[in-house]
Amino acid sequence: MHITIGMDPNILQVGSFTLAWHGVAIALAIVVAVAVIYRQFIANGLPIDRFESLAFWTVVGGIVGARLFYVIDLNHLSYMIHHPLQIFALQQGGLAIYGAVFGGFVAVAILTQVYRYPFGRVVDAIAPGLLLAQAFGRLGCLINGDAWGAPTSSPFALIYTNPKDLIPANLLGVPTTPYPIYDALLNLAILFVIWRLARLHLRDGTVFAVFAAVYAVGRFFVTYLRQEYVWFWGLQEAQVFSLVAFVLAVAALGWLVLRRTPTATMTTATGIGD
């Protein structure tokens, strides 16, 4: 079954401003993620007096990181160097998931220290919302073609026909692997796993570490379906980051398992225990 995508990736354009479907998908992803994370904060016994500030700056960090990783990708770096203003054209698409995770992770690491939140419990609360956001974000990629798969003879393929799509011009009208769909399904499958894992009341940080490790493995293999420039050892950018993320996640899991100090607990709904 070939799915033809011929719709205009842009909803409207006023002067130099363009409102794209990808931007709408990202905005929806953020709203869904924040709502889910808010509920997880309450479920995990985390205080919510600083939630709005933490959520805002985490989103900012995620967007900055996502754009940075997209810009330095060899697929886009040369173009961005010659068109520097396009670095800020977020509404047109171009946000790397690993960059979003990295930028958001750094923001959370800083904010949890400033607000005296338990870091492990906070990232555990964030993991389900992050996975849903990634799945929703892929809807934007599906429409504008900025995360294209390799050409395929498979009956299940995407065919982009609109010249405004971000897929390379030589792939317009060519059946390509439906990578955005596979990646969205990967995120939803991992969400199912960690949601059940969260019920086991494991050490703070375990849920996020499992998410990072499992997603790294899944993303490593799903990325073979993409058509990207090779970075090192015949691997694409996302695969290199997947290897790094997997090693760090396994190291974190090992540290959590070997720790002897019990997890700190909340003493009230608005403060953190000593």
Side-chain angles (χ1 to χ4, degrees), residues 220-274:
F220 181 88
F221 289 104
V222 169
T223 300
Y224 276 116
L225 303 176
R226 293 194 66 169
Q227 186 185 63
E228 296 276 8
Y229 286 110
V230 169
W231 269 37
F232 309 106
W233 311 306
L235 301 177
Q236 299 175 33
E237 177 191 37
Q239 292 174 313
V240 174
F241 288 134
S242 291
L243 291 176
V244 174
F246 179 76
V247 170
L248 293 176
V250 170
L253 282 171
W255 180 75
L256 288 167
V257 169
L258 295 175
R259 279 180 63 195
R260 294 182 179 181
T261 305
T263 302
T265 56
M266 291 283 184
T267 57
T268 67
T270 58
I272 300 171
D274 294 332

Side-chain angles (χ1 to χ4, degrees), residues 6 29 47 63 65-66 75 92 103 108 142 146 157 168 171 219 226 242 248:
I63 292 175
N75 274 308
Q92 297 179 17
V108 169
L142 182 64
D146 75 337
L171 292 180
R219 182 67 186 275
R226 293 194 66 169
S242 291
L248 293 176

Side-chain angles (χ1 to χ4, degrees), residues 110-127:
I110 295 172
L111 292 169
T112 50
Q113 290 297 311
V114 173
Y115 298 153
R116 297 188 62 198
Y117 275 60
F119 175 75
R121 197 177 306 180
V122 169
V123 293
D124 283 350
I126 288 174

Side-chain angles (χ1 to χ4, degrees), residues 36 40 128-129 132 190-199 207:
V36 170
Q40 290 299 108
L132 274 176
I190 298 173
L191 174 63
F192 175 78
V193 171
I194 68 164
W195 216 302
R196 296 182 67 86
L197 192 65
R199 299 178 182 178
V207 170

